Amino acid sequence: MLNVIEVFDVIQRDPETGRSMWAGLTGTRMALKRDGHALDPKAMTYCPAEWIDERGYFNTDLVHQHPRLWGI
């Protein structure tokens, strides 16, 4: 069984255009709520738990340490 976790992209509004855009962060529900980010349920996906750092955010360095042969 895969050890995957639900993660969400942090979405911010561009002040000039009002459009939604990715803020460059992806994290767990608990980490985003703790840090005051709004959750967008449409921006939810799953990733291997090994790719999440101790703060609860997606970490590309961990992706390279724990590669997968296929995407989820």
Side-chain angles (χ1 to χ4, degrees):
M1 183 163 163
L2 296 176
N3 185 18
V4 295
I5 192 164
E6 168 183 85
V7 292
F8 297 83
D9 289 336
V10 175
I11 305 296
Q12 295 178 337
R13 294 241 180 247
D14 183 332
E16 294 179 12
T17 65
R19 298 176 83 177
S20 296
M21 54 188 242
W22 182 52
L25 288 172
T26 300
T28 63
R29 179 185 304 267
M30 199 160 75
L32 297 181
K33 283 186 176 183
R34 177 196 66 221
D35 295 341
H37 299 291
L39 293 177
D40 180 0
K42 294 178 275 179
M44 191 271 299
T45 191
Y46 295 93
C47 79
E50 297 90 0
W51 295 356
I52 303 298
D53 66 16
E54 66 279 350
R55 300 173 307 129
Y57 287 93
F58 181 84
N59 184 312
T60 55
D61 291 334
L62 293 175
V63 172
H64 297 296
Q65 290 176 18
H66 303 280
R68 299 275 177 156
L69 295 177
W70 41 269
I72 294 176

